[in-house]
Amino acid sequence: MRPDILNPLFAEVQALKGVGPTLAKPLDRLGIARVVDLLFHLPSGWVDRVARDELMEGDVGRTITITVTPREYRTSSSPRGPTRVQAVDAHGNHVSLVYFGGSSGWAKKQLPLGEAKRISGKLEQYGQELQIIHPEIVGEDDAFREREAIYPLSEGMTSRRLAGLVEQALGRAPALAEWIEPSLKARHGWPDWREAAARIHADPADATARARLAYDEVFANQLALSIVRADTRRRRGRALAGDGRLRDMLRLPYQLTGAQARSVREIEGDMAQSSPMLRLLQGDVGSGKTLVAAMALLIAVEAGAQGAMLAPTEILARQHFETLRRTLAGLPVEIAVLTGRDKGRAREATLMGLADGSIHILVGTHAIFQEAVGYRDLGLVVVDEQHRFGVAERMLLQDKGRQPPHVLAMTATPIPRTLTLALHGEMDQSRLDEMPPGREPIETRVVSEERVDEVVNALGRHLSEGKQAYWVCPLVEESETSDLQAAEARAAALASRFGDRVGLVHGRMRGAEKDAVMARFSAGDTGVLVATTVIEVGVDVPNATLIVIEHADRFGLAQLHQLRGRVGRGGGRSVCLLLRGSALSETARARLALMRETNDGFRIAEEDLRLRGAGELLGTRQSGEAMFRLATPELLGELLPAATDDARLLIDRDGGLEGERGQAARVALYLFERDAGVALLRSG
Ligand code: ADP
Ligand code: MG
């Protein structure tokens, strides 16, 4: 339960004066739904207003504040032309105040002739005269703030307006007990939380206040991870020591890579402990995570327990099932698959097998953790593409075994080392930083969109050689519909040339429909698969050796890398064509060039972070919602070590967060909405 003291901050914005449904809309577009969101909507910049009593050409380009007296109106001859109000300062210098947009009535009313007014705006030179376009106006004796915050805006919202709302929000902000370690706070000269919040909005340049708020956010994040980590360590799970008898029976056509062997050893070491494993296996697409997972599952079975493998989608679940069945063929190991689509007798049989232990390994979607599914002795859970699952889902797993099972999470999204601690600090890490031998790197080319006809010709040649291809359609922001239209249009265009060899798969399709399309592609019945980004991570069609990605500049690098990983799965050469628009920014160019240059996902992740900032990477953990609002990538990098140490130390000393600082830290968890772990807090 959220502490009462925070209630005023978690009220809806509509609780503020002047905020009704009309204003709520543009606020909502900015992600501001509650009072606290206003506080954390930090200024992106500021204007300094220089107070002057005389107009000077030297001030052109500056935002000035000055008292002037209107002398004359000059309306334009055309009805849509600007209204110019001629005014003079105290020394008789002229300035023209310009208003665009229709009627002159408004200007005349605001600026009556002969009445001195204090105005503020950016001074410009227009021919021989000085002018200010749309100056802000106050009475003669009122003052402007010298420094004014500029906020990220949406249509229908101004910085002024936001500043007013932020002021109300600040008025509701309670003083909170300090959660920062006193010596750390003193060393940085950080203000209290509420003061820091007030200061950053009053003066966006206040680096000390900004750092304090960022630290709070990072600290809350690390604290939540530390709680999960401590909780896992404290639980008594079951030591699973495999005797190797099943693994020895495996007849693999290849040797494990060094990285695979090392990861298996790390996993084996963890599973032999009685505190449950919580380990993340990071490995680029194609690095061989499935085999590592299979080894871990075999260890569990050797030790007499069951294993489960959780996949984010139906297609992936079935594919893992097939792979495991092939890999473990000939071993006395029973494998089953269970997804939301399995019903009736087959499902009943699977449930029985799980309950009586005759099924050793279950692969499936989240359906495998439904209440009705009971295991005889679940010892290990492997979570594939773990970023698609939240902490909450992982906690559900913990309840399925008689004792909490070991957890091996896997991700094909390489994460920069600097971010690993912030994203996955609760888990131990294994990295597959070595590719299986004999893999030919995918050849990547960047092609201008204007040359799409040539690309289609190349596709034609490719298909006529009996090979297959993916064609990925643009990601249109915030509009699933236009995504779909683009993909449909492309599929139709290709079909007019290649007929029924064109398949289409997109996010709006139902599971069965999607599977049917995928199955036809897998079987080679269709030659080219047009897809929105739904082509699943991990989908494996070795004969598909060409991938075309439209509007490649609109994808994140990590995403491009993932998509590219759909090809290069068989032997032989694979090609990735990145279609780019004509007007590209420097950064966009650099990013696409990087894709051409390297196939190393870890390197791409590091560079992407450098080129673009952490925002998107950080946002990927839980379905799009950004993890850090206050901590910029730079601040995150700077503050992370201290925040992690401090959080772990606090949990070591006061695991239940019962003491004075502990109680304050609890409030921070709620303030930054990292409270999912609070339920795990050790009481007493
Ligand atoms: P990931 O899930 O990490 O993307 P996979 O587990 O699907 O990668 O493995 C990709 C391909 O590499 C599979 O076809 C697999 O059989 C093969 N593979 C895995 N390990 C090795 C190895 N040590 N040597 C050769 N090929 C391997
Ligand atoms: Mg995989």
Side-chain angles (χ1 to χ4, degrees):
M1 275 281 282
R2 181 189 303 135
D4 288 343
I5 192 168
L6 293 179
N7 286 347
L9 292 179
F10 283 86
E12 289 180 19
V13 268
Q14 305 228 21
L16 297 178
K17 273 199 299 283
V19 186
T22 342
L23 209 52
K25 228 180 251 158
L27 284 173
D28 190 59
R29 276 200 293 273
L30 292 169
I32 300 171
R34 302 152 311 171
V35 174
V36 67
D37 301 326
L38 272 169
L39 286 189
F40 291 159
H41 191 68
L42 297 192
S44 51
W46 62 89
V47 268
D48 281 328
R49 302 174 187 279
V50 222
R52 294 285 190 233
D53 44 33
E54 179 165 12
L55 288 156
M56 290 178 293
E57 278 185 16
D59 278 337
V60 165
R62 287 207 182 99
T63 301
I64 61 164
T65 303
I66 191 161
T67 302
V68 296
T69 311
R71 281 285 150 78
E72 185 191 347
Y73 305 121
R74 281 196 220 146
T75 44
S76 165
S77 49
S78 91
R80 303 226 130 259
T83 303
R84 296 180 164 269
V85 181
Q86 301 300 329
V88 292
D89 67 12
H91 305 268
N93 304 305
H94 286 260
V95 64
S96 163
L97 312 178
V98 189
Y99 290 89
F100 291 98
S103 116
S104 58
W106 188 85
K108 288 179 179 167
K109 203 160 141 216
Q110 298 297 309
L111 295 162
L113 298 184
E115 207 172 286
K117 290 279 183 190
R118 203 141 175 85
I119 63 158
S120 177
K122 191 166 162 201
L123 193 66
E124 292 174 3
Q125 182 94 47
Y126 181 71
Q128 292 302 307
E129 46 177 36
L130 293 174
Q131 70 173 21
I132 297 178
I133 295 172
H134 293 195
E136 296 181 56
I137 309 159
V138 294
E140 189 186 6
D141 302 321
D142 293 334
F144 282 96
R145 267 199 199 162
E146 273 178 39
R147 175 163 286 180
E148 210 158 283
I150 306 279
Y151 290 96
L153 296 174
S154 62
E155 204 183 312
M157 185 52 64
T158 64
S159 283
R160 267 285 171 86
R161 202 82 200 252
L162 260 173
L165 297 177
V166 166
E167 205 160 293
Q168 282 194 61
L170 283 167
R172 290 172 160 243
L176 300 174
E178 188 55 77
W179 50 75
I180 298 184
E181 212 274 309
S183 68
L184 185 70
K185 186 182 178 196
R187 182 145 35 91
H188 290 279
W190 282 336
D192 286 347
W193 174 76
R194 185 168 62 173
E195 192 194 331
R199 270 170 52 175
I200 193 73
H201 288 286
D203 179 4
D206 189 332
T208 311
R210 197 175 277 266
R212 147 100 219 205
L213 292 178
Y215 181 83
D216 292 341
E217 185 177 46
V218 179
F219 174 70
N221 189 71
Q222 298 312 98
L223 188 61
L225 295 177
S226 303
I227 291 170
V228 175
R229 189 182 169 86
D231 176 75
T232 309
R233 301 236 151 131
R234 187 170 47 84
R235 281 165 188 260
R236 287 202 64 77
R238 190 170 140 212
L240 297 176
D243 55 11
R245 84 195 132 85
L246 294 172
R247 281 171 287 164
D248 288 345
M249 291 171 74
L250 269 185
R251 293 290 166 260
L252 293 173
Y254 43 70
Q255 297 241 301
L256 295 198
T257 64
Q260 282 172 320
R262 188 187 63 229
S263 300
V264 172
R265 275 199 305 276
E266 286 164 349
I267 290 164
E268 191 169 16
D270 284 1
M271 289 174 68
Q273 308 293 316
S274 65
S275 66
M277 166 169 76
L278 191 51
R279 181 171 285 278
L280 179 66
L281 178 65
Q282 283 189 54
D284 215 337
V285 185
S287 60
K289 291 184 294 298
T290 320
L291 185 61
V292 175
M295 297 297 230
L297 290 164
L298 286 181
I299 293 171
V301 180
E302 285 170 7
Q306 291 166 301
M309 184 160 175
L310 176 62
T313 66
E314 176 95 33
I315 299 176
L316 276 178
R318 300 209 175 263
Q319 196 171 291
H320 280 318
F321 171 63
E322 294 302 335
T323 307
L324 283 180
R325 222 168 37 173
R326 244 183 293 121
T327 312
L328 307 186
L331 272 63
V333 175
E334 198 59 41
I335 312 172
V337 61
L338 183 69
T339 72
R341 283 206 286 120
D342 295 296
K343 306 237 155 67
R345 293 249 297 281
R347 179 183 146 89
E348 288 309 313
T350 302
L351 294 190
M352 295 247 299
L354 286 171
D356 68 19
S358 56
I359 291 175
H360 303 109
I361 296 174
L362 180 67
V363 185
T365 55
H366 55 264
I368 68 180
F369 296 109
Q370 280 162 2
E371 225 167 296
V373 185
Y375 297 78
R376 195 179 74 88
D377 187 6
L378 181 62
L380 169 71
V381 177
V382 178
V383 186
D384 192 22
E385 293 312 326
Q386 84 93 36
H387 64 276
R388 306 238 199 141
F389 301 95
V391 171
E393 275 150 311
R394 273 221 319 270
M395 284 185 203
L396 252 183
L397 310 181
Q398 309 266 356
D399 299 335
K400 273 293 173 187
R402 279 184 303 190
Q403 288 160 317
H406 298 281
V407 175
L408 175 66
M410 308 201 292
T411 180
T413 312
I415 300 149
R417 279 187 193 278
T418 36
L419 293 187
T420 300
L421 209 54
L423 289 172
H424 303 295
E426 84 281 27
M427 291 189 262
D428 295 307
Q429 312 285 327
S430 294
R431 285 187 160 216
L432 293 182
D433 47 13
E434 178 189 350
M435 281 290 179
R439 194 73 44 88
E440 267 194 64
I442 300 161
E443 187 186 325
T444 301
R445 275 178 253 153
V446 181
V447 182
S448 161
E449 241 145 41
E450 287 150 19
R451 292 171 53 198
V452 68
D453 288 346
E454 291 169 46
V455 172
V456 174
N457 288 337
L459 172 64
R461 289 193 295 277
H462 184 82
L463 294 177
S464 68
E465 287 165 22
K467 293 184 285 195
Q468 292 169 280
Y470 297 100
W471 189 299
V472 182
C473 277
L475 177 79
V476 182
E477 244 166 83
E478 284 162 23
S479 168
E480 213 179 299
T481 335
S482 21
D483 262 11
L484 180 53
Q485 279 165 1
E488 278 174 339
R490 178 58 67 196
L494 291 176
S496 74
R497 173 140 174 209
F498 303 117
D500 58 8
R501 278 188 292 165
V502 180
L504 171 65
V505 62
H506 58 75
R508 291 280 184 83
M509 285 178 162
R510 277 178 299 118
E513 239 182 311
K514 232 192 262 183
D515 286 4
V517 177
M518 292 307 301
R520 256 179 282 133
F521 186 66
S522 283
D525 296 342
T526 40
V528 52
L529 184 67
V530 179
T532 55
T533 40
V534 295
I535 45 169
E536 311 290 344
V537 184
V539 163
D540 203 359
V541 181
N543 190 43
T545 50
L546 170 66
I547 184 165
V548 180
I549 304 176
E550 277 192 65
H551 281 296
D553 39 296
R554 293 197 196 156
F555 291 91
L557 279 193
Q559 208 177 2
L560 280 180
H561 182 64
Q562 287 279 343
L563 287 169
R564 177 168 66 180
R566 295 311 98 226
V567 298
R569 316 208 122 221
R573 201 179 69 121
S574 285
V575 175
C576 169
L577 298 181
L578 302 175
L579 299 194
R580 61 158 177 83
S582 43
L584 281 196
S585 68
E586 269 314 298
T587 313
R589 253 172 228 288
R591 293 170 69 225
L592 292 184
L594 181 67
M595 290 302 295
R596 207 170 46 210
E597 196 180 303
T598 182
N599 275 291
D600 178 348
F602 285 107
R603 188 172 155 220
I604 287 173
E606 299 283 353
E607 290 286 312
D608 198 22
L609 175 67
R610 205 174 53 75
L611 287 170
R612 191 178 38 146
E616 207 170 311
L617 285 172
L618 295 171
T620 51
R621 184 169 185 178
Q622 268 148 22
S623 55
E625 107 194 38
M627 286 192 70
F628 294 97
R629 295 192 278 182
L630 309 179
T632 58
E634 295 74 41
L635 282 171
L636 181 64
E638 245 167 70
L639 300 170
L640 195 56
T644 308
D645 287 349
D646 195 17
R648 288 193 180 167
L649 209 63
L650 181 59
I651 291 296
D652 280 350
R653 276 195 214 136
D654 181 9
L657 296 183
E658 304 286 351
E660 203 176 319
R661 241 194 96 203
Q663 294 286 349
R666 266 176 200 251
V667 174
L669 285 174
Y670 283 96
L671 180 60
F672 294 97
E673 296 172 88
R674 300 300 203 277
D675 48 287
V678 174
L680 299 176
L681 285 178
R682 179 172 16 164
S683 43

